[in-house]
Amino acid sequence: MKRRSFLTTAGAGGVAALTGCLGDGGATTADEGTTTTGGTTASETGTTTGTAGGETPELVVATYGAFVDAPSTSPGPWLKDAFESEFDATIRYETPDSEVNYYIERAARGVDIPADLYVGLDVNMLIRIDENLDAPLFAPVDGLERRDTVKESLEFDPQGRAVPYDTGYICLVFDETFGDGDFAAPATFDGLLEDQFAGDLLTQNPVSSATGKAFLLHTVAAKGRDGFLDYWQGLKENDVRVLEDWSTSYTAYSNGEAPMVVSYSTDQVYAHDSGEDLAKHQLRFLNDQGYANPEGMAMFEGTDRPELARTFMDFVLRPDVQAEIAVRNVQYPATTTAELPESFAKYAQEPPEAVTFNYDTLRDNLSEWTSAWERQFVGN
């Protein structure tokens, strides 16, 4: 069975608009192909055709580069080995530079999708897909044995296509050794506007960075739809630095350019494992809240490996696998059944209250909010 070809559902302008980056990654076009673990491109390998002649079935899993490119710490290589050791199947990863954008472009151009699953979706990507394609890119998933173990608060797809597998919580990371050695981040959003914190905060551009977008959304939740732009004006007047992406901002923070950076509540896990001074990796949940940004996995519409894809997704939700992915991805599990090792649980922190917007709210408002932020913050 051949993967379904998509009918073209967007004009040239719609496709061109998709060539920018998604998340914190780079950008490419569909014609540039994708990197695989074998070093080939999707256009070179074509699609999986079946198991004729007793061949071991192959599941093609698309994801972002960091999921697979550091074998000792990324979850992808471990997940591949663990799955292949239990099931009569092989996993091949594809990591296009523009992430899910690559597949949106292919679908919009009526080109076959050379993958079975996508791992690493968030709600913003899902909205981008739905805004730009009329035909479905992903299929609803049913029949998963462990589906009901996923935390209800992390569900972000009302159509049941994306299955959460981990989550991060956005918060402030601060260096208490900064300056005179007794620096402490403020406890509230309003505190960031105080004169004593002028020039002390590094964050990310919400137009180009998933981390920055989550922080922007948290300010909308904290200050309201009618107040968040005024709040950002206050941040600007207090010399906040908005950098392109998480990597750039965190590097600047690590180099001592500022004592606070918008990052993740699992920061101390990575710092501890790297032997760094935890005093330089203190956490602050503004207003006692953290913005939840779950990641999900979804099955491409028209895959010729639907049962194998479901088997893989159920495997990812298994308690021991959830724990291993969390440790390697330095994120929280999505399920209620994962048993985290003591070393992880000691240094990772969950916020007293998790905050997030649902799919419908973001679909109707996200573009408007980010555009308004860009007009005011960049234009003034």
Side-chain angles (χ1 to χ4, degrees):
M1 174 177 163
K2 190 174 184 290
R3 288 186 178 83
R4 180 169 67 81
S5 295
F6 284 82
L7 296 176
T8 302
T9 57
V15 176
L18 292 169
T19 58
C21 69
L22 287 172
D24 287 339
T28 186
T29 65
D31 290 333
E32 291 177 274
T34 65
T35 301
T36 73
T37 53
T40 58
T41 66
S43 58
E44 292 168 345
T45 57
T47 60
T48 305
T49 57
T51 58
E55 295 180 3
T56 301
E58 179 182 69
L59 189 71
V60 181
V61 179
T63 187
Y64 54 93
F67 195 82
V68 300
D69 63 9
S72 61
T73 56
S74 297
W78 177 88
L79 191 59
K80 170 181 166 67
D81 290 344
F83 185 79
E84 292 177 350
S85 70
E86 294 190 30
F87 299 92
D88 182 23
T90 60
I91 300 295
R92 176 164 62 84
Y93 289 112
E94 289 190 340
T95 56
D97 289 340
S98 59
E99 302 175 359
V100 77
N101 209 26
Y102 172 81
Y103 301 100
I104 300 175
E105 290 180 41
R106 290 184 72 91
R109 295 166 60 231
V111 181
D112 282 354
I113 301 298
D116 302 294
L117 281 170
Y118 193 91
V119 174
L121 286 172
D122 65 19
V123 66
N124 301 316
M125 294 178 183
L126 200 61
I127 292 169
R128 179 75 63 88
I129 290 166
D130 293 343
E131 287 178 342
N132 287 277
L133 297 175
D134 293 331
L137 184 63
F138 297 115
V141 178
D142 54 18
L144 298 186
E145 179 183 345
R146 300 181 179 90
R147 188 69 176 84
D148 60 356
T149 67
V150 175
K151 298 173 185 176
E152 186 176 352
S153 62
L154 299 181
E155 296 286 0
F156 60 88
D157 181 13
Q159 297 182 39
R161 297 160 296 177
V163 179
Y165 67 88
D166 73 4
T167 188
Y169 295 105
I170 307 299
C171 68
L172 295 188
V173 173
F174 69 94
D175 178 4
E176 66 181 13
T177 71
F178 193 84
D180 295 333
D182 58 354
F183 182 86
T188 65
F189 279 98
D190 287 342
L192 286 174
L193 303 181
E194 295 177 4
D195 292 343
Q196 71 184 89
F197 298 112
D200 285 349
L201 177 64
L202 298 168
T203 188
Q204 305 82 21
N205 188 331
V207 178
S208 58
S209 163
T211 313
K213 189 171 295 180
F215 184 64
L216 172 66
L217 292 173
H218 199 178
T219 65
V220 176
K223 294 301 176 181
R225 304 181 189 197
D226 297 327
F228 80 97
L229 290 177
D230 289 339
Y231 178 74
W232 274 92
Q233 184 62 33
L235 286 178
K236 187 174 185 178
E237 292 171 358
N238 214 31
D239 297 328
V240 64
R241 288 180 59 194
V242 178
L243 302 180
E244 185 64 17
D245 53 30
W246 178 87
S247 178
T248 304
S249 62
Y250 202 85
T251 297
Y253 170 76
S254 299
N255 290 336
E257 295 183 23
M260 295 185 289
V261 64
V262 174
S263 191
Y264 295 87
S265 70
T266 48
D267 186 81
Q268 285 194 352
V269 176
Y270 182 82
H272 174 262
D273 291 345
S274 302
E276 297 184 21
D277 183 359
L278 293 185
K280 298 182 178 182
H281 297 271
Q282 295 298 299
L283 305 181
R284 178 75 77 220
F285 293 111
L286 295 173
N287 293 7
D288 283 334
Q289 298 172 338
Y291 194 89
N293 196 20
E295 292 183 296
M297 50 187 170
M299 181 171 61
F300 282 105
E301 179 77 24
T303 173
D304 53 9
R305 299 271 188 258
E307 291 307 317
L308 184 58
R310 292 187 186 94
T311 298
F312 178 83
M313 297 171 88
D314 240 342
F315 180 77
V316 169
L317 297 179
R318 206 168 73 183
D320 57 325
V321 177
Q322 276 283 287
E324 189 70 29
I325 292 174
V327 170
R328 290 175 178 267
N329 224 22
V330 198
Q331 296 278 58
Y332 270 93
T335 66
T336 59
T337 55
E339 297 182 2
L340 293 169
E342 183 178 348
S343 59
F344 185 96
K346 179 179 179 180
Y347 296 105
Q349 295 186 33
E350 286 191 87
E353 180 184 2
V355 175
T356 194
F357 285 107
N358 63 29
Y359 173 95
D360 291 335
T361 299
L362 292 177
R363 179 198 58 200
D364 295 340
N365 296 282
L366 180 59
S367 295
E368 178 184 341
W369 290 341
T370 54
S371 296
W373 177 91
E374 189 172 27
R375 285 193 302 270
Q376 175 170 306
F377 195 87
V378 179
N380 294 337

PDB file of all heavy atoms in Angstrom, residues 169-197:
ATOM      1  N   TYR A 169       8.252  22.985  31.434  1.00  0.00           N
ATOM      2  CA  TYR A 169       7.609  24.117  32.093  1.00  0.00           C
ATOM      3  C   TYR A 169       8.544  25.319  31.993  1.00  0.00           C
ATOM      4  O   TYR A 169       9.701  25.251  32.417  1.00  0.00           O
ATOM      5  CB  TYR A 169       7.312  23.804  33.557  1.00  0.00           C
ATOM      6  CG  TYR A 169       6.300  22.693  33.746  1.00  0.00           C
ATOM      7  CD1 TYR A 169       6.709  21.423  34.145  1.00  0.00           C
ATOM      8  CD2 TYR A 169       4.949  22.908  33.516  1.00  0.00           C
ATOM      9  CE1 TYR A 169       5.783  20.406  34.318  1.00  0.00           C
ATOM     10  CE2 TYR A 169       4.016  21.887  33.686  1.00  0.00           C
ATOM     11  CZ  TYR A 169       4.445  20.644  34.085  1.00  0.00           C
ATOM     12  OH  TYR A 169       3.531  19.626  34.243  1.00  0.00           O
ATOM     13  N   ILE A 170       8.033  26.401  31.411  1.00  0.00           N
ATOM     14  CA  ILE A 170       8.832  27.599  31.224  1.00  0.00           C
ATOM     15  C   ILE A 170       8.866  28.392  32.526  1.00  0.00           C
ATOM     16  O   ILE A 170       7.831  28.597  33.169  1.00  0.00           O
ATOM     17  CB  ILE A 170       8.248  28.479  30.101  1.00  0.00           C
ATOM     18  CG1 ILE A 170       8.067  27.662  28.817  1.00  0.00           C
ATOM     19  CG2 ILE A 170       9.134  29.691  29.846  1.00  0.00           C
ATOM     20  CD1 ILE A 170       9.325  27.084  28.250  1.00  0.00           C
ATOM     21  N   CYS A 171      10.070  28.830  32.902  1.00  0.00           N
ATOM     22  CA  CYS A 171      10.234  29.614  34.118  1.00  0.00           C
ATOM     23  C   CYS A 171      11.488  30.474  33.955  1.00  0.00           C
ATOM     24  O   CYS A 171      12.087  30.521  32.874  1.00  0.00           O
ATOM     25  CB  CYS A 171      10.357  28.706  35.336  1.00  0.00           C
ATOM     26  SG  CYS A 171      11.883  27.725  35.375  1.00  0.00           S
ATOM     27  N   LEU A 172      11.884  31.156  35.017  1.00  0.00           N
ATOM     28  CA  LEU A 172      13.149  31.886  35.006  1.00  0.00           C
ATOM     29  C   LEU A 172      14.240  31.017  35.612  1.00  0.00           C
ATOM     30  O   LEU A 172      14.013  30.295  36.587  1.00  0.00           O
ATOM     31  CB  LEU A 172      13.042  33.177  35.818  1.00  0.00           C
ATOM     32  CG  LEU A 172      12.102  34.275  35.340  1.00  0.00           C
ATOM     33  CD1 LEU A 172      12.303  35.527  36.186  1.00  0.00           C
ATOM     34  CD2 LEU A 172      12.297  34.588  33.867  1.00  0.00           C
ATOM     35  N   VAL A 173      15.412  31.083  35.025  1.00  0.00           N
ATOM     36  CA  VAL A 173      16.620  30.523  35.622  1.00  0.00           C
ATOM     37  C   VAL A 173      17.499  31.715  35.996  1.00  0.00           C
ATOM     38  O   VAL A 173      17.680  32.628  35.177  1.00  0.00           O
ATOM     39  CB  VAL A 173      17.356  29.595  34.638  1.00  0.00           C
ATOM     40  CG1 VAL A 173      18.706  29.160  35.213  1.00  0.00           C
ATOM     41  CG2 VAL A 173      16.501  28.376  34.327  1.00  0.00           C
ATOM     42  N   PHE A 174      18.014  31.719  37.229  1.00  0.00           N
ATOM     43  CA  PHE A 174      18.832  32.868  37.630  1.00  0.00           C
ATOM     44  C   PHE A 174      20.096  32.432  38.360  1.00  0.00           C
ATOM     45  O   PHE A 174      20.193  31.326  38.900  1.00  0.00           O
ATOM     46  CB  PHE A 174      18.018  33.858  38.477  1.00  0.00           C
ATOM     47  CG  PHE A 174      17.636  33.377  39.861  1.00  0.00           C
ATOM     48  CD1 PHE A 174      18.419  33.671  40.969  1.00  0.00           C
ATOM     49  CD2 PHE A 174      16.463  32.645  40.055  1.00  0.00           C
ATOM     50  CE1 PHE A 174      18.056  33.254  42.239  1.00  0.00           C
ATOM     51  CE2 PHE A 174      16.086  32.226  41.328  1.00  0.00           C
ATOM     52  CZ  PHE A 174      16.881  32.526  42.418  1.00  0.00           C
ATOM     53  N   ASP A 175      21.067  33.331  38.351  1.00  0.00           N
ATOM     54  CA  ASP A 175      22.388  33.096  38.933  1.00  0.00           C
ATOM     55  C   ASP A 175      22.497  33.893  40.225  1.00  0.00           C
ATOM     56  O   ASP A 175      22.654  35.118  40.210  1.00  0.00           O
ATOM     57  CB  ASP A 175      23.461  33.542  37.929  1.00  0.00           C
ATOM     58  CG  ASP A 175      24.879  33.388  38.461  1.00  0.00           C
ATOM     59  OD1 ASP A 175      25.049  32.861  39.588  1.00  0.00           O
ATOM     60  OD2 ASP A 175      25.813  33.804  37.748  1.00  0.00           O
ATOM     61  N   GLU A 176      22.398  33.185  41.359  1.00  0.00           N
ATOM     62  CA  GLU A 176      22.427  33.897  42.630  1.00  0.00           C
ATOM     63  C   GLU A 176      23.828  34.364  43.002  1.00  0.00           C
ATOM     64  O   GLU A 176      23.988  35.124  43.956  1.00  0.00           O
ATOM     65  CB  GLU A 176      21.836  33.037  43.742  1.00  0.00           C
ATOM     66  CG  GLU A 176      22.610  31.803  44.096  1.00  0.00           C
ATOM     67  CD  GLU A 176      21.947  30.987  45.207  1.00  0.00           C
ATOM     68  OE1 GLU A 176      20.765  31.273  45.503  1.00  0.00           O
ATOM     69  OE2 GLU A 176      22.590  30.086  45.757  1.00  0.00           O
ATOM     70  N   THR A 177      24.861  33.965  42.235  1.00  0.00           N
ATOM     71  CA  THR A 177      26.223  34.442  42.481  1.00  0.00           C
ATOM     72  C   THR A 177      26.519  35.725  41.715  1.00  0.00           C
ATOM     73  O   THR A 177      27.624  36.269  41.825  1.00  0.00           O
ATOM     74  CB  THR A 177      27.265  33.374  42.080  1.00  0.00           C
ATOM     75  OG1 THR A 177      27.316  33.250  40.638  1.00  0.00           O
ATOM     76  CG2 THR A 177      26.931  32.026  42.686  1.00  0.00           C
ATOM     77  N   PHE A 178      25.571  36.195  40.931  1.00  0.00           N
ATOM     78  CA  PHE A 178      25.791  37.372  40.083  1.00  0.00           C
ATOM     79  C   PHE A 178      26.026  38.618  40.944  1.00  0.00           C
ATOM     80  O   PHE A 178      25.449  38.766  42.024  1.00  0.00           O
ATOM     81  CB  PHE A 178      24.581  37.593  39.181  1.00  0.00           C
ATOM     82  CG  PHE A 178      24.808  38.561  38.059  1.00  0.00           C
ATOM     83  CD1 PHE A 178      25.391  38.155  36.865  1.00  0.00           C
ATOM     84  CD2 PHE A 178      24.442  39.896  38.196  1.00  0.00           C
ATOM     85  CE1 PHE A 178      25.589  39.050  35.833  1.00  0.00           C
ATOM     86  CE2 PHE A 178      24.631  40.797  37.158  1.00  0.00           C
ATOM     87  CZ  PHE A 178      25.210  40.374  35.977  1.00  0.00           C
ATOM     88  N   GLY A 179      26.868  39.502  40.428  1.00  0.00           N
ATOM     89  CA  GLY A 179      27.136  40.765  41.123  1.00  0.00           C
ATOM     90  C   GLY A 179      27.823  40.533  42.448  1.00  0.00           C
ATOM     91  O   GLY A 179      28.912  39.948  42.505  1.00  0.00           O
ATOM     92  N   ASP A 180      27.183  40.954  43.517  1.00  0.00           N
ATOM     93  CA  ASP A 180      27.759  40.813  44.859  1.00  0.00           C
ATOM     94  C   ASP A 180      27.559  39.423  45.437  1.00  0.00           C
ATOM     95  O   ASP A 180      27.944  39.172  46.586  1.00  0.00           O
ATOM     96  CB  ASP A 180      27.148  41.854  45.803  1.00  0.00           C
ATOM     97  CG  ASP A 180      27.504  43.286  45.402  1.00  0.00           C
ATOM     98  OD1 ASP A 180      28.564  43.468  44.786  1.00  0.00           O
ATOM     99  OD2 ASP A 180      26.694  44.195  45.677  1.00  0.00           O
ATOM    100  N   GLY A 181      26.922  38.532  44.688  1.00  0.00           N
ATOM    101  CA  GLY A 181      26.776  37.156  45.139  1.00  0.00           C
ATOM    102  C   GLY A 181      25.505  36.874  45.899  1.00  0.00           C
ATOM    103  O   GLY A 181      25.372  35.795  46.496  1.00  0.00           O
ATOM    104  N   ASP A 182      24.574  37.817  45.894  1.00  0.00           N
ATOM    105  CA  ASP A 182      23.321  37.580  46.603  1.00  0.00           C
ATOM    106  C   ASP A 182      22.121  37.939  45.734  1.00  0.00           C
ATOM    107  O   ASP A 182      21.095  38.414  46.231  1.00  0.00           O
ATOM    108  CB  ASP A 182      23.277  38.373  47.906  1.00  0.00           C
ATOM    109  CG  ASP A 182      23.435  39.879  47.674  1.00  0.00           C
ATOM    110  OD1 ASP A 182      23.683  40.282  46.518  1.00  0.00           O
ATOM    111  OD2 ASP A 182      23.292  40.650  48.644  1.00  0.00           O
ATOM    112  N   PHE A 183      22.237  37.675  44.430  1.00  0.00           N
ATOM    113  CA  PHE A 183      21.158  38.018  43.509  1.00  0.00           C
ATOM    114  C   PHE A 183      19.985  37.062  43.694  1.00  0.00           C
ATOM    115  O   PHE A 183      20.163  35.860  43.878  1.00  0.00           O
ATOM    116  CB  PHE A 183      21.644  37.950  42.055  1.00  0.00           C
ATOM    117  CG  PHE A 183      20.587  38.339  41.057  1.00  0.00           C
ATOM    118  CD1 PHE A 183      20.403  39.663  40.713  1.00  0.00           C
ATOM    119  CD2 PHE A 183      19.759  37.386  40.470  1.00  0.00           C
ATOM    120  CE1 PHE A 183      19.423  40.041  39.797  1.00  0.00           C
ATOM    121  CE2 PHE A 183      18.783  37.743  39.561  1.00  0.00           C
ATOM    122  CZ  PHE A 183      18.616  39.080  39.221  1.00  0.00           C
ATOM    123  N   ALA A 184      18.775  37.584  43.621  1.00  0.00           N
ATOM    124  CA  ALA A 184      17.560  36.760  43.682  1.00  0.00           C
ATOM    125  C   ALA A 184      16.559  37.316  42.680  1.00  0.00           C
ATOM    126  O   ALA A 184      16.322  38.533  42.634  1.00  0.00           O
ATOM    127  CB  ALA A 184      16.960  36.761  45.081  1.00  0.00           C
ATOM    128  N   ALA A 185      16.000  36.447  41.874  1.00  0.00           N
ATOM    129  CA  ALA A 185      15.002  36.867  40.899  1.00  0.00           C
ATOM    130  C   ALA A 185      13.730  37.280  41.614  1.00  0.00           C
ATOM    131  O   ALA A 185      13.418  36.781  42.699  1.00  0.00           O
ATOM    132  CB  ALA A 185      14.713  35.731  39.926  1.00  0.00           C
ATOM    133  N   PRO A 186      12.959  38.187  41.019  1.00  0.00           N
ATOM    134  CA  PRO A 186      11.684  38.578  41.636  1.00  0.00           C
ATOM    135  C   PRO A 186      10.697  37.424  41.629  1.00  0.00           C
ATOM    136  O   PRO A 186      10.824  36.478  40.848  1.00  0.00           O
ATOM    137  CB  PRO A 186      11.207  39.730  40.742  1.00  0.00           C
ATOM    138  CG  PRO A 186      11.842  39.474  39.422  1.00  0.00           C
ATOM    139  CD  PRO A 186      13.186  38.875  39.736  1.00  0.00           C
ATOM    140  N   ALA A 187       9.700  37.513  42.479  1.00  0.00           N
ATOM    141  CA  ALA A 187       8.719  36.440  42.608  1.00  0.00           C
ATOM    142  C   ALA A 187       7.538  36.598  41.668  1.00  0.00           C
ATOM    143  O   ALA A 187       6.783  35.652  41.472  1.00  0.00           O
ATOM    144  CB  ALA A 187       8.217  36.368  44.055  1.00  0.00           C
ATOM    145  N   THR A 188       7.378  37.788  41.090  1.00  0.00           N
ATOM    146  CA  THR A 188       6.195  38.061  40.278  1.00  0.00           C
ATOM    147  C   THR A 188       6.580  38.690  38.944  1.00  0.00           C
ATOM    148  O   THR A 188       7.693  39.195  38.767  1.00  0.00           O
ATOM    149  CB  THR A 188       5.242  39.021  41.013  1.00  0.00           C
ATOM    150  OG1 THR A 188       5.899  40.295  41.169  1.00  0.00           O
ATOM    151  CG2 THR A 188       4.852  38.466  42.374  1.00  0.00           C
ATOM    152  N   PHE A 189       5.634  38.696  38.018  1.00  0.00           N
ATOM    153  CA  PHE A 189       5.839  39.397  36.752  1.00  0.00           C
ATOM    154  C   PHE A 189       6.062  40.886  36.994  1.00  0.00           C
ATOM    155  O   PHE A 189       6.934  41.508  36.361  1.00  0.00           O
ATOM    156  CB  PHE A 189       4.629  39.189  35.828  1.00  0.00           C
ATOM    157  CG  PHE A 189       4.650  37.878  35.103  1.00  0.00           C
ATOM    158  CD1 PHE A 189       3.930  36.795  35.586  1.00  0.00           C
ATOM    159  CD2 PHE A 189       5.386  37.710  33.933  1.00  0.00           C
ATOM    160  CE1 PHE A 189       3.937  35.584  34.923  1.00  0.00           C
ATOM    161  CE2 PHE A 189       5.406  36.502  33.269  1.00  0.00           C
ATOM    162  CZ  PHE A 189       4.682  35.429  33.762  1.00  0.00           C
ATOM    163  N   ASP A 190       5.308  41.479  37.894  1.00  0.00           N
ATOM    164  CA  ASP A 190       5.473  42.901  38.187  1.00  0.00           C
ATOM    165  C   ASP A 190       6.871  43.199  38.718  1.00  0.00           C
ATOM    166  O   ASP A 190       7.424  44.275  38.461  1.00  0.00           O
ATOM    167  CB  ASP A 190       4.427  43.367  39.201  1.00  0.00           C
ATOM    168  CG  ASP A 190       3.032  43.465  38.598  1.00  0.00           C
ATOM    169  OD1 ASP A 190       2.929  43.506  37.350  1.00  0.00           O
ATOM    170  OD2 ASP A 190       2.048  43.483  39.365  1.00  0.00           O
ATOM    171  N   GLY A 191       7.430  42.245  39.453  1.00  0.00           N
ATOM    172  CA  GLY A 191       8.763  42.459  39.999  1.00  0.00           C
ATOM    173  C   GLY A 191       9.821  42.668  38.931  1.00  0.00           C
ATOM    174  O   GLY A 191      10.813  43.387  39.148  1.00  0.00           O
ATOM    175  N   LEU A 192       9.628  42.065  37.766  1.00  0.00           N
ATOM    176  CA  LEU A 192      10.597  42.230  36.674  1.00  0.00           C
ATOM    177  C   LEU A 192      10.663  43.665  36.173  1.00  0.00           C
ATOM    178  O   LEU A 192      11.629  44.043  35.490  1.00  0.00           O
ATOM    179  CB  LEU A 192      10.244  41.300  35.507  1.00  0.00           C
ATOM    180  CG  LEU A 192      10.544  39.817  35.689  1.00  0.00           C
ATOM    181  CD1 LEU A 192      10.007  39.027  34.500  1.00  0.00           C
ATOM    182  CD2 LEU A 192      12.039  39.572  35.848  1.00  0.00           C
ATOM    183  N   LEU A 193       9.656  44.460  36.483  1.00  0.00           N
ATOM    184  CA  LEU A 193       9.622  45.853  36.026  1.00  0.00           C
ATOM    185  C   LEU A 193      10.320  46.805  36.987  1.00  0.00           C
ATOM    186  O   LEU A 193      10.478  47.992  36.676  1.00  0.00           O
ATOM    187  CB  LEU A 193       8.170  46.307  35.838  1.00  0.00           C
ATOM    188  CG  LEU A 193       7.307  45.478  34.880  1.00  0.00           C
ATOM    189  CD1 LEU A 193       5.908  46.079  34.780  1.00  0.00           C
ATOM    190  CD2 LEU A 193       7.946  45.372  33.502  1.00  0.00           C
ATOM    191  N   GLU A 194      10.747  46.317  38.142  1.00  0.00           N
ATOM    192  CA  GLU A 194      11.393  47.185  39.119  1.00  0.00           C
ATOM    193  C   GLU A 194      12.766  47.627  38.639  1.00  0.00           C
ATOM    194  O   GLU A 194      13.472  46.891  37.939  1.00  0.00           O
ATOM    195  CB  GLU A 194      11.512  46.455  40.459  1.00  0.00           C
ATOM    196  CG  GLU A 194      10.157  46.140  41.094  1.00  0.00           C
ATOM    197  CD  GLU A 194      10.293  45.345  42.386  1.00  0.00           C
ATOM    198  OE1 GLU A 194      11.442  45.104  42.818  1.00  0.00           O
ATOM    199  OE2 GLU A 194       9.248  44.947  42.943  1.00  0.00           O
ATOM    200  N   ASP A 195      13.150  48.841  39.028  1.00  0.00           N
ATOM    201  CA  ASP A 195      14.410  49.431  38.580  1.00  0.00           C
ATOM    202  C   ASP A 195      15.616  48.566  38.906  1.00  0.00           C
ATOM    203  O   ASP A 195      16.591  48.530  38.141  1.00  0.00           O
ATOM    204  CB  ASP A 195      14.592  50.817  39.216  1.00  0.00           C
ATOM    205  CG  ASP A 195      13.593  51.837  38.690  1.00  0.00           C
ATOM    206  OD1 ASP A 195      12.991  51.576  37.626  1.00  0.00           O
ATOM    207  OD2 ASP A 195      13.422  52.890  39.346  1.00  0.00           O
ATOM    208  N   GLN A 196      15.568  47.867  40.022  1.00  0.00           N
ATOM    209  CA  GLN A 196      16.725  47.080  40.432  1.00  0.00           C
ATOM    210  C   GLN A 196      17.026  45.924  39.473  1.00  0.00           C
ATOM    211  O   GLN A 196      18.122  45.373  39.476  1.00  0.00           O
ATOM    212  CB  GLN A 196      16.516  46.527  41.843  1.00  0.00           C
ATOM    213  CG  GLN A 196      15.455  45.424  41.930  1.00  0.00           C
ATOM    214  CD  GLN A 196      15.202  44.968  43.338  1.00  0.00           C
ATOM    215  OE1 GLN A 196      14.352  45.519  44.032  1.00  0.00           O
ATOM    216  NE2 GLN A 196      15.950  43.972  43.798  1.00  0.00           N
ATOM    217  N   PHE A 197      16.050  45.558  38.610  1.00  0.00           N
ATOM    218  CA  PHE A 197      16.260  44.471  37.656  1.00  0.00           C
ATOM    219  C   PHE A 197      16.441  44.979  36.219  1.00  0.00           C
ATOM    220  O   PHE A 197      16.328  44.203  35.264  1.00  0.00           O
ATOM    221  CB  PHE A 197      15.095  43.484  37.716  1.00  0.00           C
ATOM    222  CG  PHE A 197      14.948  42.811  39.056  1.00  0.00           C
ATOM    223  CD1 PHE A 197      13.855  43.081  39.870  1.00  0.00           C
ATOM    224  CD2 PHE A 197      15.926  41.934  39.508  1.00  0.00           C
ATOM    225  CE1 PHE A 197      13.729  42.469  41.103  1.00  0.00           C
ATOM    226  CE2 PHE A 197      15.807  41.319  40.751  1.00  0.00           C
ATOM    227  CZ  PHE A 197      14.712  41.592  41.549  1.00  0.00           C
TER     228      PHE A 197
END
